[in-house]
Amino acid sequence: MLSLASKPPAMPTLSFANFFKDPASWQIIASGQAEGHLTSVEGPDGKPALRLDYDFHGSGGFVVARKEGTFVLPKTFDVGFCMRGEGLPNNFEFKIADPAGANAWRYLKEHAELPAEWTAVRIRERDLPFAWGPAGGGAPGVVGAVELVIAAGPGGSGGVCFSDLSLEDQTLYAPAGVSASSHRPNNPPESVFEADAPSGWQAEDGDPAPRWSVDFGRLVRFGGLLIHWPSPTQPRSY
């Protein structure tokens, strides 16, 4: 049995349509002798894109493009953007920080080969683990800033472009429809999603081919489905 929210919560979100449009809305942070520079370029299908040029000047360190803006991450999500560039295979990081800037979550790709053509990148919630901060762990919630990081491996100089940021809520909510081949009077198919249901859905004893189906009304991700057979009933084929 699973209790699901009836609908997505209302969430104040940052508009992503022009997220990479204005270089002036971003801040460059660099360490040591490293330098970074931001310009506006054209992305795929004419969409606005941001180009980060970097140069480590024969040294190590990192170059960060940081943009502040508040939005809420759902429990289960998929962050996407397009990326292309040129340069040696340094480390690439996509980071988010909470509004206070005290806690950070990081997607890290070491020795990243920058694609020469626009390439879609997808980052799921499990790809964005807690990195550091007084929270000590847990999942991100309210975001206060996004950071795009090139950290020196072999170093050198290069450029990387970003475009078309998206955020997709893939949390499971109450389904659009639930049906079954049959059910006992007190065990309708909808009871699978009712936490206070006594024993969930049960097909009638005479049902030759029990079937239960659910339609969430959209593409969603889920980790699995558990089937609990009521004791002492023996499991039937399904």
Side-chain angles (χ1 to χ4, degrees):
M1 291 175 285
L2 179 65
S3 179
L4 302 177
S6 60
K7 61 181 179 179
M11 294 184 289
T13 58
L14 180 69
S15 174
F16 290 162
N18 295 314
F19 195 80
F20 294 118
K21 183 177 182 179
D22 183 13
S25 66
W26 293 75
Q27 176 188 7
I28 286 287
I29 304 169
S31 68
Q33 300 181 52
E35 289 184 321
H37 180 64
L38 295 171
T39 54
S40 180
V41 296
E42 185 175 294
D45 301 322
K47 295 178 180 178
L50 181 76
R51 179 178 173 90
L52 168 61
D53 287 290
Y54 60 89
D55 192 338
F56 290 104
H57 294 290
S59 185
F62 56 81
V63 177
V64 180
R66 175 185 172 90
K67 181 167 184 167
E68 296 184 351
T70 302
F71 61 95
V72 177
L73 286 175
K75 182 178 179 181
T76 306
F77 61 85
D78 189 323
V79 172
F81 54 88
C82 292
M83 177 179 178
R84 70 169 175 83
E86 65 279 339
L88 297 174
N90 292 293
N91 299 335
F92 169 68
E93 301 176 16
F94 176 90
K95 288 168 38 182
I96 61 173
D98 62 13
N103 299 286
W105 291 259
R106 178 178 66 171
Y107 164 83
L108 169 63
K109 187 172 182 180
E110 297 181 317
H111 315 298
E113 297 281 355
L114 297 175
E117 304 295 331
W118 285 110
T119 302
V121 178
R122 312 302 298 183
I123 301 174
R124 297 177 175 180
E125 73 289 336
R126 61 173 177 251
D127 303 321
L128 202 62
F130 181 79
W132 58 78
V142 180
V143 177
V146 171
E147 295 184 355
L148 307 168
V149 184
I150 300 293
S157 62
V160 56
C161 303
F162 304 92
S163 182
D164 201 19
L165 185 70
S166 65
L167 173 62
E168 185 176 317
D169 184 354
Q170 296 189 344
T171 307
L172 287 178
Y173 297 104
V178 183
S179 62
S181 54
S182 69
H183 66 87
R184 293 183 177 182
N186 295 324
N187 304 101
E190 296 85 0
S191 63
V192 170
F193 298 103
E194 296 173 0
D196 56 352
S199 57
W201 166 69
Q202 291 187 36
E204 293 179 339
D205 292 335
D207 190 337
R211 177 190 57 80
W212 178 90
S213 64
V214 58
D215 178 10
F216 284 101
R218 62 191 178 100
L219 292 175
V220 295
R221 284 189 285 125
F222 62 95
L225 179 67
L226 294 176
I227 300 177
H228 297 279
W229 298 99
S231 180
T233 305
Q234 291 298 314
R236 300 168 65 179
S237 61
Y238 62 94

